[in-house]
Amino acid sequence: MKKKAIELGPFVVILITAWLKISYFNLPPDPDAINEWYKWTPAEGIRAAVSTLATLLIIFAPTLLLKPTRRYVALVILDVIISLIVVADLVYFRFYGDITSLSAMSAGWQIALIWRSIVALLQPMDVLFLADIVIASFLWRAYKRAARNVPVTSRRARIIALSSLVVAGALMSIIPLRVISDDVDGVFRWKFFRFFGARRIGLLNYHIYEGEQRLVQIVSGDELTDKQKKDALAFVAAWRPAATAHSPMFGVAKGKNLIVIMVESLQLFPVNAYIDGQPVMPHFAAFAKRSMFFDRFFGQTAEGTTSDGEFTSMQSLYPLPAGSVQSTHPANTYRGLPRILAERGYSTFSAHGYLGDLWNMRTVHPKLGFQRSFFREDFEQRDVIGLGISDAEFFRQSIPRLESAHKPFMGFLITLTTHHDWVIPAQYRTLRLGKLEGSRIGRYLQSFHHFDAGFGEFVDSLQRTGLLDNSVVVIYGDHRGQYGKKGDDGGREQMAKLLQGFMNYPPPDTSSEYKYWEAQNQIPMIIHLPGDAHAGTRSVTAGHLDVAPTVLNLLGIDKHDMVTLGRDLTQGADELVVFRSGSFVVADTLCVSPNASPATASCHDTHSGVRLNPNQFSKQFAEARRRLEVSDQVITGNLIPKN
């Protein structure tokens, strides 16, 4: 008995602990989560648990061929690898609401650039995922001494045990293989919300499945067929007339400069929010009243967050389903908004207060058409907050560059201070948060109150230098704020209470989940014209892809060959706004789905709150899938012409 305990004890214990870690992701979903279109059942959880055990048996079984001490080391190494995968997925899930992908892992070197945000996402209980490794390391010497006095089981017996475990694992693997092959809801075929696939076959199995899919892709190549290329380019060509059609506002800012400001993590709800009578963003709200204010503008970014914000707004194509376009396809040919303007005589530059290596900005910005880029090394490091200089200081140092730029110019300014985790020095915390003090959503609002002060100073500087009267100023958020999931510093719950308080939102449940989905994904966009011309709120449904076509029309630039799937918002008509998951919004209709399918969609009339039958929107879902497919083909096939 003692022999069996010493020889097989570590195998059994580490197998069970690894299984429990992975099975954490198979627990029932948060009952307060707004994901009605995902139907989790206990049977699904059991299937995932069995599927996970099957894979672990196959992975762990070969260690039986090793002698006890070597097996112990091999088991600990396997446990370390599994634990790192689980913790990485856990942290990634808290930030993005999904598990990581191979494409995201390929950009893992950027961890060193944003380590503060990663540390902020860790929780004390996460140590449990590493506790068994610490214990195993501590017991190593004792185990080594004990194993010396125990005779080793015969090789024949170990081979029989190995074979038995592999056969058992193979038989149990029929379950995940059946789930993938059936794929009733298209979760594995669509592969955007990876978490739902992991819930069905187990976290580790999903990563193995994704790796197998990627390997097949590499072996078979990413080459599109001639027909696919022809069809994709034909779709883009057919789209161009609508994107370049003249509206009554065509050319109202012809010859003017263009200043584009992409604000880190900015959402719509803080703009007009009040906390105990204090406006959160008074200067931004005041400037919005002097501008065209698009209050039905939605973020269309995905896993690439800020880099997706750049790509979708500058190139007017969708982000990829996994990874960042700028990280996975930096060698592609791009011809974005700055390239089109440069060809029309504009000087173009971008500026960001952080390292140009982040998201390959230093490489991709020139390809988009920026003739010059300024990064951290080009700014005096005064008033540093978080990752770099404060937004107020960034704006101050950008004014001279705007003034000295060859006219007309395009300046693309990307802010930084409001990056997660929104820790602002005490001297700048001027917003009294009350009950929100110390919470993540409170820090988010405090951060934007500080940004707002710097933005107000920037607008005054534009006015004083005359730039405001000679420029089109475009401002929008890059992506939604990542305040975390339930239990993560109260971020989501506090946001819900905040929305209920000042926007009269109902409690989040299955009848109102669409309102919270909107609140999480709506981003403000402002377009200010010289002399405050054409100011007013415009409630046309819009998204990041529409920025470039709208700006080009206002500047009077037509007959361009930009590859775009956006359209000019000054046409005034509500159009389909498609999200990377295949969800969409058009006018007052919102359909949320993890896989662009009516079968898994939750649809609502956002004006009346009435639930709608998803089946009546099959054409819109088909159109959403086609747009995403074409965009992916343009990117993966490198179909954007050089000129």
Side-chain angles (χ1 to χ4, degrees):
M1 186 66 181
K2 180 180 178 182
K3 173 187 174 183
K4 293 295 183 185
I6 292 176
E7 189 166 12
L8 296 179
F11 182 92
V12 174
V13 171
I14 293 179
L15 176 68
I16 292 174
T17 56
W19 178 73
L20 290 174
K21 291 175 188 179
I22 297 171
S23 295
Y24 175 81
F25 282 86
N26 301 332
L27 294 174
D30 176 0
D32 295 329
I34 303 170
N35 58 357
E36 182 195 357
W37 29 267
Y38 173 64
K39 309 297 183 184
W40 184 91
T41 64
E44 185 170 289
I46 293 172
R47 283 197 302 269
V50 173
S51 301
T52 298
L53 181 58
T55 302
L56 289 176
L57 287 176
I58 295 172
I59 292 174
F60 276 58
T63 65
L64 293 176
L65 295 179
L66 302 173
K67 292 181 179 180
T69 52
R70 292 183 179 180
R71 183 188 308 144
Y72 191 97
V73 173
L75 289 169
V76 172
I77 291 173
L78 284 174
D79 194 19
V80 168
I81 294 171
I82 290 171
S83 299
L84 290 176
I85 291 172
V86 170
V87 172
D89 279 322
L90 194 61
V91 171
Y92 199 86
F93 183 83
R94 287 170 184 160
F95 196 89
Y96 293 102
D98 201 1
I99 62 172
T100 189
S101 67
L102 293 178
S103 296
M105 290 179 184
S106 67
W109 61 271
Q110 296 186 138
I111 288 175
L113 304 181
I114 56 171
W115 65 269
R116 287 187 180 88
S117 289
I118 293 173
V119 171
L121 291 168
L122 294 172
Q123 297 178 2
M125 293 299 290
D126 293 344
V127 71
L128 293 178
F129 291 101
L130 305 174
D132 60 320
I133 299 172
V134 175
I135 294 172
S137 301
F138 180 76
L139 294 176
W140 162 242
R141 293 196 177 200
Y143 179 81
K144 189 176 180 180
R145 286 195 301 269
R148 288 174 186 164
N149 302 319
V150 176
V152 179
T153 302
S154 68
R155 184 173 180 82
R156 181 174 179 274
R158 284 182 282 156
I159 291 175
I160 292 174
L162 181 152
S163 302
S164 300
L165 291 181
V166 170
V167 170
L171 290 174
M172 287 191 290
S173 295
I174 294 174
I175 295 174
L177 293 174
R178 179 73 179 271
V179 172
I180 293 172
S181 63
D182 287 349
D183 198 16
V184 177
D185 298 329
V187 170
F188 296 94
R189 183 172 64 254
W190 196 241
K191 297 195 291 289
F192 176 66
F193 284 109
R194 296 175 295 279
F195 179 60
F196 301 137
R199 271 266 170 94
R200 295 185 174 185
I201 62 173
L203 183 72
L204 186 60
N205 287 338
Y206 189 85
H207 284 310
I208 292 173
Y209 158 76
E210 186 189 23
E212 180 270 334
Q213 292 285 300
R214 182 57 183 155
L215 182 62
V216 169
Q217 190 179 48
I218 292 172
V219 172
S220 61
D222 290 332
E223 286 295 319
L224 301 175
T225 65
D226 289 340
K227 184 178 186 307
Q228 285 176 315
K229 292 179 181 179
K230 182 179 179 181
D231 289 348
L233 291 174
F235 188 95
V236 171
W239 187 278
R240 187 170 289 119
T244 59
H246 291 193
S247 78
M249 293 184 64
F250 179 81
V252 296
K254 192 174 184 63
K256 298 296 183 181
N257 306 311
L258 174 64
I259 302 172
V260 180
I261 305 171
M262 190 171 75
V263 183
E264 173 68 39
S265 301
L266 176 61
Q267 293 181 233
L268 178 63
F269 73 85
V271 173
N272 292 308
Y274 281 77
I275 305 296
D276 292 334
Q278 309 160 95
V280 176
M281 301 183 69
H283 298 100
F284 192 94
F287 194 67
K289 292 179 180 178
R290 301 170 55 187
S291 313
M292 292 189 289
F293 179 35
F294 295 86
D295 66 347
R296 291 283 288 164
F297 188 91
F298 290 84
Q300 292 176 287
T301 62
E303 202 170 69
T305 57
T306 298
S307 69
D308 284 351
E310 295 177 17
F311 183 74
T312 53
S313 59
M314 293 295 106
Q315 184 59 69
S316 195
L317 290 173
Y318 294 96
L320 291 172
S324 158
V325 175
Q326 297 184 187
S327 295
T328 59
H329 294 77
N332 274 20
T333 296
Y334 298 109
R335 296 189 70 248
L337 171 63
R339 176 75 65 201
I340 302 301
L341 292 179
E343 292 171 354
R344 301 305 196 280
Y346 277 69
S347 62
T348 60
F349 72 89
S350 63
H352 186 40
Y354 198 48
L355 298 170
D357 302 311
L358 184 66
W359 297 123
N360 267 345
M361 288 186 293
R362 199 184 306 277
T363 299
V364 177
H365 280 202
K367 287 178 170 290
L368 289 170
F370 291 111
Q371 298 161 335
R372 178 78 192 275
S373 292
F374 301 97
F375 298 116
R376 187 169 71 178
E377 63 272 17
D378 300 303
F379 291 88
E380 294 183 31
Q381 296 303 300
R382 298 193 299 261
D383 195 24
V384 174
I385 297 177
L387 296 177
I389 60 173
S390 70
D391 289 342
E393 185 62 31
F394 174 70
F395 285 140
R396 291 186 197 111
Q397 295 188 39
S398 294
I399 285 291
R401 291 188 169 102
L402 294 171
E403 283 188 287
S404 61
H406 174 75
K407 310 300 189 292
F409 66 79
M410 174 192 176
F412 182 40
L413 311 181
I414 307 168
T415 71
L416 184 61
T417 303
T418 51
H419 191 283
H420 180 278
D421 188 47
W422 313 300
V423 178
I424 301 296
Q427 67 267 31
Y428 295 134
R429 299 176 201 162
T430 58
L431 187 66
R432 299 184 306 277
L433 293 170
K435 294 181 180 179
L436 294 177
E437 192 68 54
S439 68
R440 184 153 293 174
I441 193 67
R443 295 200 299 272
Y444 177 82
L445 295 173
Q446 188 75 261
S447 181
F448 274 100
H449 188 64
H450 176 255
F451 160 83
D452 185 74
F455 176 74
E457 180 185 328
F458 179 68
V459 172
D460 290 342
S461 296
L462 292 178
Q463 186 83 59
R464 185 180 63 256
T465 58
L467 286 170
L468 193 63
D469 289 332
N470 288 285
S471 305
V472 175
V473 182
V474 182
I475 313 158
Y476 56 90
D478 59 352
H479 55 77
R480 69 183 187 181
Q482 312 289 352
Y483 347 95
K485 304 299 172 185
K486 183 173 177 136
D488 185 16
D489 206 333
R492 195 182 62 191
E493 296 94 320
Q494 293 292 351
M495 187 194 78
K497 291 178 181 178
L498 189 70
L499 294 176
Q500 291 170 51
F502 80 85
M503 292 181 69
N504 299 316
Y505 272 47
D509 55 32
T510 55
S511 65
S512 64
E513 85 277 3
Y514 72 93
K515 294 185 72 67
Y516 287 87
W517 193 95
E518 278 193 312
Q520 287 181 316
N521 290 278
Q522 278 187 283
I523 289 171
M525 184 175 78
I526 292 173
I527 300 180
H528 181 269
L529 299 174
D532 299 350
H534 301 281
T537 299
R538 295 168 182 255
S539 296
V540 58
T541 48
H544 279 118
L545 271 71
D546 304 319
V547 172
T550 302
V551 168
L552 288 172
N553 275 272
L554 291 172
L555 295 177
I557 296 175
D558 60 357
K559 298 180 181 178
H560 58 80
D561 58 353
M562 181 178 176
V563 174
T564 172
L565 292 178
R567 87 281 191 218
D568 173 23
L569 297 177
T570 64
Q571 299 286 349
D574 282 304
E575 295 288 348
L576 197 69
V577 177
V578 177
F579 306 99
R580 183 62 252 189
S581 66
S583 303
F584 68 83
V585 62
V586 56
D588 292 327
T589 298
L590 169 65
C591 284
V592 180
S593 168
N595 58 349
S597 170
T600 56
S602 174
C603 296
H604 285 83
D605 183 310
T606 59
H607 180 72
S608 66
V610 172
R611 184 182 296 277
L612 305 173
N613 182 358
N615 291 322
Q616 66 182 301
F617 302 109
S618 57
K619 289 184 178 179
Q620 286 86 344
F621 276 116
E623 173 66 15
R625 289 193 297 269
R626 182 57 181 150
R627 291 187 192 180
L628 293 168
E629 181 182 48
V630 167
S631 181
D632 290 349
Q633 290 173 340
V634 169
I635 296 167
T636 59
N638 195 16
L639 301 183
I640 298 176
K642 292 184 178 180
N643 197 349

